[in-house]
Amino acid sequence: MKILLIGKSCSGKTQLSQFFVEKGLRLAITCTSRPMRPGEIDGTHYYFLTKEKFQQNILEEKFVEYCQFNDWYYGLPKTEYDKCDVMISTPGGLYSLIKDFGRENFSVGIVTGK
């Protein structure tokens, strides 16, 4: 069973995910087409892709789920889904994952803020 953390931007999902990582669970690293922020590391915080590469990966069906937010793409690669214990997603991502994998495969935590 995988843990799926759902919430709005800046609701504390990433902070909560670190609790699970400290307990030895593996967090899925998602992809984004937005620019890297100071202090972020490619392959640790996100996999940073160009918008064109992200769109190519969509066409090649390399994502379990993806969305567009503020003109940037965010998505969960199939390779990360296969090896993770904990995932961070949006409500739309939750529906995609349940549709594709079934509700019984997830424990869902809704993060509402600080």
Side-chain angles (χ1 to χ4, degrees):
M1 180 168 299
K2 295 180 185 286
I3 299 168
L4 184 59
L5 302 176
I6 305 292
K8 294 180 180 179
S9 180
C10 298
S11 63
K13 300 179 302 289
T14 302
Q15 286 178 310
L16 181 57
S17 72
Q18 290 310 305
F19 167 81
F20 292 109
V21 169
E22 290 168 8
K23 299 297 180 193
L25 299 177
R26 188 180 187 296
L27 176 65
I29 301 170
T30 55
C31 294
T32 184
S33 63
R34 73 161 172 75
M36 197 180 309
R37 295 177 184 152
E40 289 182 325
I41 300 167
D42 186 39
T44 298
H45 298 101
Y46 286 97
Y47 294 112
F48 293 92
L49 306 176
T50 64
K51 196 176 239 184
E52 295 75 22
K53 179 64 176 172
F54 201 106
Q55 291 169 334
Q56 179 182 347
N57 286 354
I58 291 170
L59 293 173
E60 294 173 1
E61 299 181 354
K62 291 186 177 182
F63 294 109
V64 172
E65 62 93 11
Y66 67 92
C67 68
Q68 196 169 6
F69 179 74
N70 288 342
D71 292 328
W72 305 116
Y73 287 102
Y74 294 86
L76 176 61
K78 290 179 180 179
T79 54
E80 285 293 313
Y81 175 83
D82 291 341
K83 61 186 178 182
C84 77
D85 303 302
V86 180
M87 299 171 286
I88 296 173
S89 190
T90 63
L94 168 65
Y95 297 123
S96 293
L97 291 166
I98 288 174
K99 183 179 111 249
D100 292 343
F101 299 101
R103 170 65 181 93
E104 65 279 359
N105 292 308
F106 302 98
S107 178
V108 178
I110 300 172
V111 183
T112 59
K114 301 173 184 172

